[in-house]
């Protein structure tokens, strides 16, 4: 997801990866970086949903501005 600068282009890129695996790096505050693997489940006008592949199978939501400001970084395999 390097080089993408607008929320519209971020949304379009994420839409192209629905159902695919992704590695999330999220800023958890207080110098904590949370790293999780998951699958992009759905995309909405202002947020996207990722189902985490951990023992709880929970979902998390992030906004496209989180990706723009690098609060969340997405890494697609391959």
């Amino acid at each position: 997801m390097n080089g993408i600068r607008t929320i519209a282009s971020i949304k379009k890129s994420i839409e192209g990866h629905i159902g695919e695996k992704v590695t999330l790096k999220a800023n958890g505050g207080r110098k904590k970086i949370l790293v999780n693997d998951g699958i992009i489940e759905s995309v909405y006008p202002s947020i996207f949903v990722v189902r985490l592949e951990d023992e709880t199978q929970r979902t998390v939501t992030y906004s496209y501005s989180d990706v723009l400001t690098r609060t969340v970084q997405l890494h697609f395999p391959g």
Side-chain angles (χ1 to χ4, degrees):
M1 301 272 327
N2 296 333
I4 296 174
R5 295 288 177 229
T6 66
I7 288 181
S9 61
I10 290 168
K11 181 180 178 200
K12 188 173 182 178
S13 175
I14 292 172
E15 283 176 337
H17 291 283
I18 292 175
E20 294 182 18
K21 288 192 174 194
V22 64
T23 300
L24 287 170
K25 278 186 172 180
N27 183 346
R30 294 200 175 234
K31 298 184 181 179
K32 284 188 206 170
I33 301 294
L34 307 172
V35 179
N36 291 304
D37 291 323
I39 296 175
I40 296 179
E41 198 168 75
S42 51
V43 172
Y44 296 100
S46 57
I47 61 168
F48 60 98
V49 180
V50 178
R51 178 168 299 279
L52 299 180
E53 293 183 328
D54 58 11
E55 58 280 348
T56 62
Q57 289 290 308
R58 66 187 176 108
T59 59
V60 292
T61 60
Y62 294 104
S63 69
Y64 304 111
S65 60
D66 290 335
V67 178
L68 182 66
T69 60
R70 296 193 172 269
T71 303
V72 174
Q73 295 179 24
L74 304 175
H75 301 280
F76 301 102

